[in-house]
Every structure is written in structure tokens, then in C-alpha cells.
Amino acid sequence: MKNKSIGSIFFLLFFLFSIGSNAQSTGGEKYRPAFHFSPKAHWMNDPNGMVYYNGVYHLFFQYHPGGTTWGPMHWGHATTQDFFNWEEKPIALYPDSLGTIFSGSIVIDKDNTAGFGKNAMVAIFTHHNQKIEEAKTGLHQYQSIAYSNDEGETWTKYKGNPVLPNPGISDFRDPKVMWYEQGKKWVMTLATKDRITFYSSPDLKAWKRESEFGVNLGAHGGVWECPDLFPLKSNGKTVWVLLVSINPGGPNGGSATQYFTGNFDGNKFVPNSTKEKWVDYGTDNYAGVTWSNTGDRKIFLGWMNNWQYANQVPTKAWRGAMTIPRELSLASVNGDCHLRSLPVKEISPSLKPVYKKGTVTNYKEIDLSAYAKPLDGKFKLDLSLENTSDFNIILSNVNGQKLIIGYDKKNNSYFIDRTLSGETSFEKGFAKKHSAPRLLASKEIHISLILDVASIELFADNGLTVMTDIFFPDSSIETIKIQSSAVNKLSSLSLSKIDQKQLK
Ligand code: FRU
């Protein structure tokens, strides 16, 4: 009896310790992020059906519950209220006789236009039919809908599926739907091979083709996928942003997301610039789109991976994680419109500074290792410094593995070098240095870095240049050294821990 109760106390202590120690009760799994969403088990790719409703941010995602590599697609489901703690829910959508469930979006049907009920969640997704694909007719992808009247817990597929049959386009997928208030209609932005096609509908069931965009514009190194179209305000004016993921053909190889800015009138998207622009220059932010039903605020999340090696990354129980959610806005640089992405403000209360410093002049090396060591590979680093010479931020572990983030003065570019960052042998192109142009001409550079065990997110110049890279160190990053090639001036520096108490 006594032994039994001692045993239960030990068990209880162990249980409390293990849930208190990690956001997702990960039990110390190698490479498992603490505050970025990753599924408990199995394969995940694109974020899908992101929708905000009743104080909850829903994230659905491409999910293969039968393994840790890509396979027959389902929609997994997770929710968050603070973008930091995620709760994984039961699978939302399963394959059916029409096919497996590829990427798509969710809207809140406030006016019951579809007849599924007021405020029904309606999912618009691609059915992918393997049998038709094997018959090589090119007609294997078409758009279907499903609805939920209980905030995404249970789903019913519409009996009249598909709502948008394939017109003879082999890559015909990833519908992102929004309500276009000026025209009182739904607008679907669809990836159609090497271009975007817009459709509209009064009821989410009958769709009319409006126009197409992009066949001769932007990057075309690979097929166009996972688009998104939304308005943002810029100096009081509305500018429309069109995101288009492409695979391959990204600026540092493999998958990446480009964007266009311009005008949309309910029928046509007309760009206001023909320059090639990327949401993120790192290799690991793909298929990202924004949450719907968030009003004027646009919050973006991407899959933190790259098709070049996504099926080989060395995690065990699961494969795939999402980026930190990012708020999008517009900025004008040399008269051209650019997208800014910054971590959502909701994560700020979870950040607790462990080191802060004002101006430092005449430095060649600043060593923050004493402060970094207890942070166990999870932190945010913010610094402002003059762009008078190259500088490197070297993150390393006891195994001598290192990740170098820096600025190259001669090329006026930022970079992340993961060549010596740990396990890289799973794919020959992984061990590389990636770079991104600096857009801003100001003398002072501001940089924020977010590290969560096996990923780094770099936000430079207040989100004008962004890079996201994953890496696989054998042990936690515990030293931080900031080095410059010449004597440099730093005007502020702060290192914050991620407050574990905030992680439920
Ligand atoms: C993008 C993508 C989408 C497709 C899904 C399939 O990563 O290829 O175009 O719907 O993944 O899982």
C-alpha cells in the first residue's frame, strides 16, 4: 500500500514535470520545436483552412496519418488562442470516393449564402483523384466543399461535390476563397498550372470564371501553388496582395512564395509592379497563406519546410512544423510597394528579456553565451547596428556545430549559413549558405531572430527582408557570439527567453 502511494507520487511528479516542460508535451524529442506548431505524429505539409472564429485561431493542415512521408492527404486540425500554445484536434477531413483532400481554405458564411446555416464554417478544398491521375487525362483535381456547424469539430461534405469540375488543366488546385464585399460575392483564387485563375460565386456552390493572371509575369521555375489574395492598406489606400507559392524555383532553391501587389476589382488583378518579390528568402517557408475572418488584420503562416528534402528531414515521430505566425503590412521603398512580415504581437508577453544593452561602440566581438546557455535553444534576439561593415551572429552548440546569420556589406545582403549546422547528410543540397537582398538604404540595420530548437527566423529592417531556415543540431544551441570584421557600432541589443510558464 505504502509503496503503491510512493509510486503514484513519483508518477504524478513525473507527469507534472513532463507537461510543464514543453508546450506540446513533447517528452524531449530531438528537434521538436516548443512553440511552433508540429503534429504529435506523422507527416504534415501546407497550412489549410486557416480561419478565426469566436476567439480561436483554427489551423487545418495537409496531413498523412499513415506515415511520416507524404501520402494520401487528410486535413489535420489544431487551434490556438495566443499563437504560442497549440492544441491538436481530431482529423477534420478524410479522403472519400472523389479523392484525397488537398489544400484549400475556410470561410465563415455569415449570411448563410450556401444554405448550410448562419455562420457555418465552409471549407473549399481540392479533391485529388489517384485513379483519374493514373488514367492520365489531366482531369484528376477539382474543387469541393464541406461544412461545419460546430466550430470545426465535425464536418459534412456537400452532396453536390465537386462544385468546380476540372476544365482540362492538370494542376488545378488550392482554392483560397474570400468575400468580396464591393461585389457582394465570393471570390476564389485558384492555382492553375503556370497562372492564377479567379472565379466568383454567390453561394460557394456555382462558380463562374472571371479572369486569369501571371502567365508571363513573376517567377516560373516550377508549378504555381497555394495562392492567396487580400487587400491591405498602404498610406490610406487599398492595395491588393497576391501570394503565389512555386515549386521549385525559389530564390535559394526549391520551394518558395512570391508575391505581387496591385489592384483587384472583383474581376481582374492588375499588378502595379513587375519586379520579382519574395515573401521570405529562406528555404523553409512554403505554401503560406493568411487567416480568414480577421478583418483588416492579415496574419500569415507557412509550412517550415521545402519539397527539396521535406520527405527526408531527420525527425522521427513526425515530419513538418509551421513558421511563427506573422502579421503582414505594406511599405513603400523607392516608390515600389513591398510586403513586410513581422511576428504577431501576441507572442510578446511570452518573451522575457534576460540581457539588455544600449549603445556599444568599438566592438569586434560580443559574447552572450553566459545568457544563452540556460535558454535551451529557444530565444529571441533583437539588435540594431550600423551597416558599416560585415557582421556575423554565430550560434553554436557543444558539438561545435554552428549556424551563422549575418550581413555581407559588399553585396548588401543578409545570409544564413547552415553548412556546418549539424545533421545535413540526408540531402545533398541542404548544407548551404542562403542569401537575401537588403531593400532598405538606412544606415542602421535592425534584426530580430527567433530560434526554436531546429529553426531560425530572421526579420531584418522591420520585416522587409525575411529568411526562414530549418537545421538539425545534435544538441541545443548554447553560445551566441556577435562578431564584426571591422570595429562596429551597436545601438541596442536584447536577448529574450521564451517564458516557459506561458507555455501551457
Ligand atoms: C503544396 C501542395 C499543394 C497541394 C498539396 C498536396 O505544397 O503541392 O499544391 O494541394 O501540397 O499535399
Side-chain angles (χ1 to χ4, degrees):
M1 182 68 196
K2 203 172 164 208
N3 275 351
K4 217 173 165 191
S5 57
I6 291 175
S8 337
I9 289 169
F10 269 122
F11 178 76
L12 186 70
L13 283 175
F14 174 76
F15 178 72
L16 288 175
F17 176 76
S18 48
I19 55 169
S21 66
N22 197 308
Q24 298 180 26
S25 308
T26 55
E29 290 167 280
K30 202 172 180 187
Y31 311 130
R32 174 75 86 176
F35 53 92
H36 287 70
F37 178 71
S38 62
K40 287 196 182 75
H42 303 128
W43 166 273
M44 172 178 80
N45 57 292
D46 314 355
N48 294 151
M50 285 149 59
V51 64
Y52 176 66
Y53 191 62
N54 263 350
V56 176
Y57 291 89
H58 292 263
L59 164 67
F60 297 81
F61 50 89
Q62 289 286 277
Y63 189 50
H64 177 213
T68 50
T69 50
W70 189 84
M73 283 290 117
H74 300 53
W75 273 25
H77 184 197
T79 56
T80 185
Q81 280 171 284
D82 59 5
F83 295 118
F84 228 71
N85 293 282
W86 295 90
E87 187 188 340
E88 195 170 340
K89 303 272 208 181
I91 290 175
L93 295 174
Y94 286 81
D96 56 47
S97 62
L98 289 175
T100 57
I101 317 296
F102 270 23
S103 288
S105 49
I106 289 178
V107 293
I108 302 295
D109 189 6
K110 293 184 177 137
D111 299 327
N112 194 18
T113 63
F116 299 139
K118 195 170 157 49
N119 288 323
M121 272 188 186
V122 183
I124 308 95
F125 58 89
T126 302
H127 259 126
H128 176 95
N129 190 302
Q130 182 83 28
K131 282 216 181 84
I132 303 181
E133 188 180 23
E134 282 158 14
K136 296 202 161 53
T137 57
L139 301 175
H140 52 283
Q141 294 178 346
Y142 29 81
Q143 320 318 318
S144 293
I145 58 178
Y147 62 93
S148 168
N149 297 115
D150 55 7
E151 304 197 10
E153 296 291 318
T154 58
W155 290 87
T156 308
K157 302 227 181 75
Y158 172 54
K159 288 202 176 62
N161 282 339
V163 291
L164 180 56
N166 190 305
I169 302 171
S170 57
D171 294 287
F172 188 70
R173 59 178 179 264
D174 309 338
K176 181 74 161 71
V177 174
M178 56 151 211
W179 178 249
Y180 183 70
E181 180 57 30
Q182 294 91 319
K184 300 255 181 283
K185 61 182 182 181
W186 299 102
V187 168
M188 178 197 290
T189 305
L190 194 70
T192 50
K193 204 179 176 102
D194 56 355
R195 64 197 75 180
I196 296 301
T197 308
F198 299 103
Y199 293 84
S200 70
S201 169
D203 59 2
L204 298 164
K205 293 170 177 165
W207 291 94
K208 170 181 157 231
R209 187 181 177 286
E210 292 283 348
S211 66
E212 62 178 44
F213 166 80
V215 70
N216 293 315
L217 266 181
H220 281 276
V223 68
W224 284 23
E225 300 184 314
C226 298
D228 194 358
L229 174 74
F230 50 87
L232 277 178
K233 284 265 184 294
S234 170
N235 298 326
K237 279 203 230 116
T238 298
V239 174
W240 288 79
V241 180
L242 177 63
L243 308 183
V244 178
S245 283
I246 73 165
N247 176 50
N252 280 296
S255 336
T257 303
Q258 60 182 323
Y259 71 91
F260 305 88
T261 53
N263 189 39
F264 182 72
D265 64 1
N267 162 249
K268 240 189 165 76
F269 178 83
V270 179
N272 59 15
S273 159
T274 51
K275 265 205 211 122
E276 200 173 289
K277 294 172 188 162
W278 299 92
V279 172
D280 189 318
Y281 281 83
T283 41
D284 299 290
N285 177 358
Y286 193 59
V289 288
T290 58
W291 261 277
S292 73
N293 202 35
T294 52
D296 286 344
R297 224 183 146 194
K298 291 294 157 206
I299 307 169
F300 168 100
L301 182 88
W303 174 45
M304 203 154 53
N305 220 326
N306 190 314
W307 281 116
Q308 193 178 308
Y309 41 72
N311 278 286
Q312 285 120 273
V313 295
T315 52
K316 286 242 154 57
W318 85 103
R319 267 210 183 90
M322 297 301 181
T323 64
I324 201 89
R326 302 164 183 191
E327 177 136 11
L328 302 180
S329 59
L330 291 171
S332 172
V333 182
N334 296 330
D336 202 2
C337 205
H338 287 270
L339 201 59
R340 257 183 211 291
S341 354
L342 284 171
V344 286
K345 60 177 188 300
E346 283 84 345
I347 69 165
S348 302
S350 305
L351 301 169
K352 299 278 177 273
V354 294
Y355 179 83
K356 257 187 170 217
K357 188 106 183 118
T359 308
V360 187
T361 38
N362 294 339
Y363 84 87
K364 275 206 151 182
E365 179 174 291
I366 299 174
D367 188 346
L368 296 178
S369 305
Y371 307 95
K373 197 172 159 54
L375 306 186
D376 200 26
K378 289 158 247 169
F379 58 74
K380 181 159 185 270
L381 180 69
D382 294 283
L383 60 155
S384 299
L385 70 188
E386 278 184 355
N387 72 342
T388 42
S389 68
D390 294 355
F391 66 83
N392 288 337
I393 303 166
I394 303 167
L395 310 180
S396 56
N397 62 11
V398 288
N399 304 65
Q401 296 163 340
K402 56 185 173 188
L403 186 73
I404 310 171
I405 300 100
Y407 172 67
D408 175 339
K409 171 80 183 147
K410 192 165 127 256
N411 294 314
N412 194 29
S413 61
Y414 297 104
F415 65 85
I416 298 179
D417 188 347
R418 65 181 177 192
T419 314
L420 302 172
S421 62
E423 174 57 19
T424 57
S425 63
F426 53 90
E427 198 265 334
K428 63 178 182 349
F430 189 83
K432 276 209 172 127
K433 177 174 173 177
H434 306 135
S435 55
R438 179 170 197 238
L439 300 176
L440 210 62
S442 70
K443 198 167 176 205
E444 179 151 291
I445 284 182
H446 179 78
I447 278 189
S448 293
L449 291 177
I450 294 183
L451 185 85
D452 187 3
V453 182
S455 65
I456 186 86
E457 291 163 282
L458 158 69
F459 301 90
D461 302 315
N462 276 322
L464 267 181
T465 300
V466 177
M467 299 184 83
T468 304
D469 272 21
I470 53 173
F471 67 110
F472 299 95
D474 285 328
S475 59
S476 296
I477 292 297
E478 51 182 57
T479 69
I480 305 177
K481 288 183 180 168
I482 304 165
Q483 297 173 341
S484 75
S485 60
V487 170
N488 213 338
K489 185 179 163 206
L490 195 138
S491 51
S492 76
L493 175 61
S494 115
L495 176 67
S496 303
K497 71 171 181 177
I498 312 299
D499 189 354
Q500 294 284 336
K501 271 188 256 129
Q502 299 279 341
L503 299 177
K504 284 172 200 137

